[in-house]
Amino acid sequence: MNESHPRISKAVIPAAGLGTRFLPATKATPKEMLPVVDKPAIQYVVEEAVGAGLSDVLMITGRNKRPLEDHFDRNYELEEALIKKGDQERLAKVQESSDLATMHYVRQGDPRGLGHAVLCAAPHVGDEPFAVLLGDDLIDPRDPLLARMVEVQEREGGSVVALMEVEPSQIHLYGCAAVEPTGDADVVKVTNLVEKPDPADAPSNYAIIGRYVLDPAVFGILRETEPGRGGEIQLTDALQKLAADESAGGPVHGVVFKGRRYDTGDRGDYLRAIVRLACEREDLGPDFRNWLRGYVTEEMQGL
Ligand code: UTP
């Protein structure tokens, strides 16, 4: 471990976005609260942070996001009712989310972009490296990523982003990284970053996905970052500056992720996440898989 960097203990989860892709479901309900099987998407994200050893969690919220705070708080009325019924199993499920981590919240006010959301974490984070997990990005619990990113940051210093290879035609939906190989097969050095490039201008097909381990120098850069694409303050623009100038708080490395990841803010990906995770569940999986097999066979016959 690099002695100049303390052990990473804080996770920041930006969850202040408007969730317009999921309207009208997200008119009065945060998209992060939509259930993936029987848990809200955001609980998987907090569990992932805790699983990587980060038990201090700061959530960036905004208007209409109260249910996020309530979900990670005690609900004494409900607990009492379950105790009276002797329903220990459901009581444990209700208590699980409030016992997970030390939760903190800050409101973003105006959602001025992901970079601005991360900047809202500055007073809480202070001068330590920290992790950022996007609240609507679900990494399959069977494919750990964050722990590896923390390990790389502790060895290399600077910042670490998560990268995933995508079809070149899809790169315009993501931040994109130009990279050089390192001695580790799953780690690359990031030399440049571009937010949502046209496929013809993309330096690679490595897309940035919603996990970051950041050097606190990013805050100073974000303060000076002008609104970019879409009029929003882009985290990618600040990371680009770190990648271009190591003396500013770089380097930036990328961990290449080959596991399963779902953008639960996207309706198609959300459905895929539910089907996959439901199939793997011991309690629901056997029945659900049988039904799914029958359904798919029927659909194929109709083709
Ligand atoms: P998205 O690009 O998914 O935006 O944000 P969004 O507003 O949440 O959703 P759509 O596109 O309108 O459907 C990526 C992540 O950054 C957070 C979001 O909550 C999400 O986790 N975010 C985005 C903020 O916290 N604040 C912002 O100002 C913007």
Side-chain angles (χ1 to χ4, degrees):
M1 178 170 155
N2 183 335
E3 284 305 316
S4 62
H5 288 269
R7 177 85 182 83
I8 297 165
S9 64
K10 289 179 182 161
V12 173
I13 304 184
L18 296 176
T20 52
R21 285 170 294 166
F22 241 115
L23 284 168
T26 48
K27 185 178 171 191
T29 305
K31 67 174 167 180
E32 297 82 4
M33 285 304 293
L34 297 178
V36 176
V37 189
D38 51 7
K39 272 194 290 194
I42 193 74
Q43 189 172 333
Y44 291 88
V45 179
V46 174
E47 285 171 354
E48 183 192 341
V50 173
L54 317 179
S55 56
D56 180 306
V57 175
L58 174 72
M59 211 170 273
I60 315 294
T61 68
R63 278 185 292 285
N64 287 344
K65 301 284 180 167
R66 245 324 264 287
L68 289 170
E69 296 188 30
D70 290 341
H71 183 70
F72 293 100
D73 199 357
R74 302 289 298 267
N75 182 334
Y76 289 108
E77 210 176 21
L78 184 56
E79 289 178 34
E80 264 318 302
L82 292 169
I83 290 167
K84 273 199 191 122
K85 277 190 181 173
D87 193 340
Q88 291 302 326
E89 199 184 322
R90 291 201 173 88
L91 178 66
K93 282 186 181 165
V94 165
Q95 289 174 337
E96 204 183 342
S97 54
S98 50
D99 292 342
L100 257 181
T102 309
M103 302 296 300
H104 308 270
Y105 302 89
V106 64
R107 281 194 176 216
Q108 191 184 0
D110 283 333
R112 289 167 53 204
L114 178 57
H116 180 248
V118 170
L119 189 52
C120 294
H124 180 81
V125 167
D127 195 26
E128 297 169 22
F130 63 104
V132 174
L133 297 86
L134 298 197
D136 56 359
D137 220 338
L138 202 159
I139 301 293
D140 194 297
R142 292 159 292 170
D143 299 325
L145 165 65
L146 192 60
R148 175 66 176 148
M149 294 174 70
V150 167
E151 197 179 288
V152 171
Q153 197 283 339
E154 286 177 349
R155 192 184 66 199
E156 305 289 344
S159 297
V160 179
V161 296
L163 299 174
M164 202 164 150
E165 284 194 75
V166 299
E167 291 296 322
S169 62
Q170 297 299 299
I171 198 71
H172 68 282
L173 300 171
Y174 298 89
C176 172
V179 302
E180 286 170 359
T182 68
D184 289 326
D186 64 334
V187 181
V188 289
K189 173 113 186 267
V190 175
T191 55
N192 194 14
L193 287 163
V194 198
E195 183 64 21
K196 299 191 169 86
D198 288 332
D201 304 330
S204 75
N205 61 338
Y206 281 115
I208 306 175
I209 57 170
R211 299 292 178 269
Y212 309 80
V213 180
L214 301 177
D215 187 280
V218 77
F219 294 131
I221 294 176
L222 281 170
R223 276 185 203 106
E224 283 160 20
T225 300
E226 296 290 327
R229 227 189 147 91
E232 295 193 333
I233 298 176
Q234 300 287 352
L235 180 60
T236 306
D237 291 346
L239 287 170
Q240 200 281 328
K241 288 180 194 146
L242 288 176
D245 177 9
E246 288 201 15
S247 66
V252 178
H253 284 88
V255 167
V256 179
F257 181 62
K258 293 195 189 291
R260 287 155 287 195
R261 170 246 175 203
Y262 315 96
D263 174 2
T264 53
D266 172 82
R267 290 169 302 172
D269 239 17
Y270 172 74
L271 294 173
R272 284 185 276 278
I274 292 178
V275 171
R276 274 200 165 162
L277 293 172
C279 282
E280 298 298 328
R281 284 272 295 257
E282 272 178 24
D283 52 349
L284 298 166
D287 272 359
F288 185 64
R289 273 200 304 270
N290 268 341
W291 173 82
L292 192 60
R293 214 173 280 125
Y295 177 70
V296 170
T297 310
E298 251 172 56
E299 283 289 297
M300 299 296 283
Q301 280 163 356
L303 285 180

